[in-house]
Amino acid sequence: MDIRSLAIHGGANGDPYTGAVTVPIYQTSTYAQKSIGQHKGFEYSRTGNPTREVLEKLIAELEEGYRGFAFGSGMAAISSVLMLLKSGDHILVSDDVYGGTFRVIDKVFKNFDLEYDFINTSDIAKVRDSIKDNTKMIYIETPTNPLMKLTSIHAIAEIAKEKGILTVVDNTFATPYLQRPITQGADIVLHSATKYLGGHSDLVAGLVVVNNEELGNRMHFIQNAVGAILGPFDSWLLIKGIRTLPIRMDRHCENAEQIVSWLSKQSWVKKIYYPGYNDSQDVLSSQMSKAGGMISFEVDSEATVEKVLSNLKVITLAESLGGIESLISVPAKMTHASIPEEIREKIGITNRLIRLSVGIEYVEDIIKDLDISLK
């Protein structure tokens, strides 16, 4: 089934008990048992819930993986994946990574003796040279947040498999509609489902998909043991969001391409970060169907940043991304403020960098908001 149909019909078609077309919200904590251990597949909603199960099956099908898991946030999903590691293990992480990911590794997991290096994972030779005897995971974002760098998932997975290392891909920006990392060789794919998958800025959630039974059993143990699960109502909302993912992503991408073209003609825009725009066109064409709806661009001064932000009528100044509405932010002062300034400056996350999550509004209205010449 094509992914445009699978997004609508995957997971489950309605409710087998009542015939309801929409999956119900099973707002319950526990389930009656006929006798000890005899039940209808559910015992306690931390371990499993019918609404959450439909969502987990849906994301596994969309990502072409073995098993899916739904968590209370993207960071809960990331943290649970990192719990696959043990004290003394080493992880390689994309240097241009979401600030929350940097923070949880650098401020939390290092307290449990997890070793880590943040490197440019787009440089395959650098990745190979950075692997240590105790390296157990390579964690990549592609496209990265916020500089939109692309990493060849296939190339990373090949290196990792040679060494018995897990490949983990944060697929939040691309979504399974544009990119399916497991088909490229990744072991685990994860999402901040708060973003494009939910799509309406009305929930916080995280999703994980694994590629085999052994990883599935380990992730389920962690999910159940830690309990960072997604509740049934948010699971239901997320299913509804995913049902419209393909049509939304088509508009996000279409609008973004037009905005990139317009930005490229503005004298105050000094650099544009958009997948495949400056380089890595070969990586883009090999693993993504389109470049997505996220754009970052560096302007000529911090005064210009303020001028852009003060001109907004359609675009909203806010953290997060991937909603139907356009959202704008300054990563160095917002989403990536937890990364030390010297590291931000070194990799290019300056105070002059603006990140735009392109919504599905009429594109000319978005461009008018960005056009400082209209002030």
Side-chain angles (χ1 to χ4, degrees):
M1 190 183 296
D2 186 90
I3 193 168
R4 289 166 290 191
S5 298
L6 191 60
I8 296 170
H9 297 288
N13 268 318
D15 180 39
Y17 305 106
T18 66
V21 173
T22 301
V23 175
I25 304 169
Y26 284 94
Q27 195 71 44
T28 184
S29 61
T30 192
Y31 307 82
Q33 301 186 26
K34 186 176 181 180
S35 61
I36 297 174
Q38 284 191 306
H39 49 75
K40 296 181 179 180
F42 299 95
E43 304 167 78
Y44 187 62
S45 276
R46 171 167 43 79
T47 307
N49 174 279
T51 313
R52 192 176 86 229
E53 182 180 77
V54 171
L55 170 63
E56 292 175 332
K57 288 180 177 177
L58 174 59
I59 191 59
E61 290 175 11
L62 292 178
E63 286 286 7
E64 299 187 41
Y66 176 79
R67 188 173 179 180
F69 303 90
F71 295 89
S73 68
M75 287 312 306
I78 291 167
S79 298
S80 296
V81 167
L82 292 173
M83 289 177 195
L84 291 167
L85 302 170
K86 64 180 187 299
S87 177
D89 286 348
H90 175 252
I91 177 175
L92 294 175
V93 189
S94 299
D95 56 358
D96 170 27
V97 75
Y98 169 54
T101 305
F102 179 95
R103 179 176 56 221
V104 80
I105 293 173
D106 186 61
K107 297 293 189 289
V108 178
F109 279 94
K110 83 170 182 181
N111 296 328
F112 302 97
D113 294 323
L114 179 68
E115 300 177 18
Y116 54 92
D117 285 300
F118 292 94
I119 65 169
N120 179 9
T121 53
S122 301
D123 185 342
I124 303 302
K126 176 68 173 176
V127 172
R128 190 181 291 276
D129 291 344
S130 299
I131 292 174
K132 302 178 180 179
D133 290 341
N134 60 334
T135 303
K136 302 299 180 184
M137 181 182 289
I138 303 176
Y139 182 107
I140 63 175
E141 285 183 6
T142 182
T144 57
N145 179 7
L147 298 179
M148 312 302 160
K149 290 190 292 189
L150 299 180
T151 292
S152 170
I153 300 168
H154 177 73
I156 294 294
E158 275 197 335
I159 294 171
K161 282 180 171 54
E162 289 173 10
K163 306 287 188 179
I165 297 170
L166 289 174
T167 300
V168 178
V169 180
D170 184 329
N171 202 29
T172 298
F173 276 20
T175 82
Y177 184 63
L178 303 182
Q179 174 176 270
R180 287 177 286 284
I182 287 175
T183 67
Q184 298 285 324
D187 299 293
I188 300 172
V189 58
L190 56 83
H191 297 269
S192 172
T194 310
K195 314 304 194 296
Y196 285 109
L197 294 179
H200 295 80
S201 302
D202 57 2
L203 62 90
V204 174
L207 295 173
V208 171
V209 179
V210 300
N211 71 345
N212 63 62
E213 182 178 9
E214 187 264 340
L215 275 175
N217 290 337
R218 291 173 65 191
M219 279 308 307
H220 183 256
F221 178 85
I222 290 170
Q223 183 190 47
N224 187 47
V226 174
I229 57 166
L230 190 64
F233 179 67
D234 283 341
S235 295
W236 180 80
L237 277 179
L238 186 48
I239 292 167
K240 285 175 65 67
I242 290 173
R243 298 305 191 201
T244 62
L245 175 67
I247 195 166
R248 288 187 286 104
M249 289 306 297
D250 283 339
R251 176 61 69 86
H252 286 303
C253 294
E254 176 187 327
N255 281 358
E257 289 169 4
Q258 293 185 58
I259 292 168
V260 166
S261 177
W262 179 83
L263 286 171
S264 69
K265 300 178 179 68
Q266 308 310 305
S267 60
W268 47 272
V269 176
K270 296 307 176 185
K271 189 169 184 178
I272 296 172
Y273 299 91
Y274 186 63
Y277 180 77
N278 295 314
D279 52 23
S280 302
Q281 188 65 46
D282 55 335
V283 177
L284 175 69
S285 61
S286 70
Q287 65 190 36
M288 294 182 69
S289 58
K290 296 180 182 179
M294 294 298 301
I295 306 167
S296 290
F297 55 99
E298 189 169 272
V299 300
D300 54 11
S301 68
E302 291 188 47
T304 299
V305 172
E306 292 303 317
K307 190 177 289 188
V308 171
L309 298 183
S310 66
N311 203 37
L312 305 178
K313 296 180 178 64
V314 174
I315 304 170
T316 301
L317 175 63
E319 301 206 5
S320 198
L321 58 100
I324 55 174
E325 64 286 302
S326 293
L327 299 175
I328 201 166
S329 66
V330 180
K333 297 180 179 181
M334 298 172 74
T335 56
H336 291 67
S338 59
I339 299 176
E341 183 177 4
E342 63 273 18
I343 297 177
R344 292 199 309 265
E345 289 284 340
K346 182 178 179 181
I347 63 179
I349 305 175
T350 71
N351 290 340
R352 302 182 307 282
L353 184 74
I354 296 172
R355 190 188 74 181
L356 175 65
S357 172
V358 179
I360 65 173
E361 303 96 340
Y362 178 53
V363 69
E364 291 299 329
D365 288 331
I366 304 173
I367 289 173
K368 285 178 184 176
D369 254 17
L370 296 171
D371 192 352
I372 61 176
S373 68
L374 294 178
K375 278 189 67 66

